[in-house]
Amino acid sequence: MVDEHTMTATDARCDYRIEEVAARTGFTKRTLRYYEEIGLITPAGRSEGNYRLYSEADVARLQRIKRLKDVLGVPLSSLKRMAEVEETLDALGTELRGPLDAEQRRTRVLQARAELEQQLRTIDERLATLTHMRAELADASRGSSKCCTPETRRHGEVTEKTAPGLARGGAGC
C-alpha cells in the first residue's frame, strides 16, 4: 500500500492535505478548490482516498498568490500569469546555476530580464492606480473640512459616532 503522503503524479513529496494548506496560507478550503477549478493551482497529487495532496512547492505558490492578491490587489485573471512568472524566474535561476554554454546562458538571462520587466510593469501600473486613488481620497478629505466647522460641530451635525476624529477637530477639520 502506498503512503498517502508520498503518492504523487510527479513523484514530488506531497505532505499536506487541503486543511493544512488552508491553515498555512490563510485561504479557505473552498477558495483552494476554486483556484484548482480555474487552473490557478493544481495539487501535486491525490491520495488513495482521492484527497488532494499538496507539496511544499504548491504551498509556496499559494503564498506568492496570496501576497500578490493581498498586497497588490491583483485580480484573479492576472494572478495566474504573475505566479507563473515568479515560478519561471525561480526555474531560470536554478538553470543558470547549472552547466550552460555562453549562448544558452545569454538566452536564459534575457528571458529572465523580460519576465522581470513584465512584473515591474504590472506593479508600476498597480502603483499608479493606487497613487491616483490615494490622491482622490486626500482631495476628498481636504474638501470635507469645508463642511466641518466649529458651528456644525456645536449643532451636533458632525458627531464622534458619525465621523470619528472629525467631531474633535481631527483629520479634515
Side-chain angles (χ1 to χ4, degrees):
M1 183 170 145
V2 177
D3 176 25
E4 72 177 41
H5 290 290
T6 58
M7 180 182 161
T8 72
T10 61
D11 292 331
R13 276 188 60 123
C14 290
D15 294 327
Y16 308 104
R17 289 183 46 175
I18 195 167
E19 302 82 18
E20 297 164 304
V21 174
R24 285 189 61 189
T25 63
F27 287 122
T28 64
K29 292 188 297 184
R30 183 176 181 177
T31 296
L32 294 172
R33 288 185 199 103
Y34 177 68
Y35 284 0
E36 180 182 359
E37 182 181 315
I38 64 171
L40 194 56
I41 185 78
T42 303
R46 293 274 182 165
S47 70
E48 287 182 10
N50 205 31
Y51 289 104
R52 290 168 179 83
L53 296 175
Y54 297 86
S55 67
E56 192 62 44
D58 293 329
V59 173
R61 178 182 171 110
L62 284 162
Q63 289 169 333
R64 283 192 298 270
I65 288 168
K66 182 141 181 75
R67 186 182 73 230
L68 290 167
K69 182 176 172 288
D70 292 350
V71 174
L72 294 177
V74 175
L76 283 178
S77 59
S78 301
L79 279 175
K80 184 175 181 182
R81 176 67 186 132
M82 291 183 80
E84 287 169 351
V85 166
E86 286 192 12
E87 289 170 355
T88 299
L89 291 171
D90 289 346
L92 284 170
T94 300
E95 194 175 326
L96 286 170
R97 289 187 287 277
L100 295 174
D101 66 41
E103 186 57 32
Q104 288 173 321
R105 187 171 302 281
R106 182 180 180 284
T107 301
R108 296 297 187 241
V109 167
L110 289 174
Q111 182 183 0
R113 183 177 178 160
E115 296 285 355
L116 283 169
E117 287 173 352
Q118 178 56 46
Q119 288 283 54
L120 287 170
R121 280 191 297 277
T122 301
I123 290 169
D124 287 343
E125 289 169 7
R126 199 70 187 146
L127 280 172
T129 300
L130 290 170
T131 300
H132 180 74
M133 288 174 62
R134 186 186 188 292
E136 286 179 341
L137 289 172
D139 287 346
S141 175
R142 283 190 293 277
S144 71
S145 64
K146 295 173 186 162
C147 68
C148 186
T149 64
E151 178 75 16
T152 58
R153 282 194 301 272
R154 249 192 322 277
H155 294 295
E157 293 170 352
V158 176
T159 66
E160 191 61 34
K161 185 175 180 181
T162 60
L166 293 179
R168 293 187 311 271
C173 289

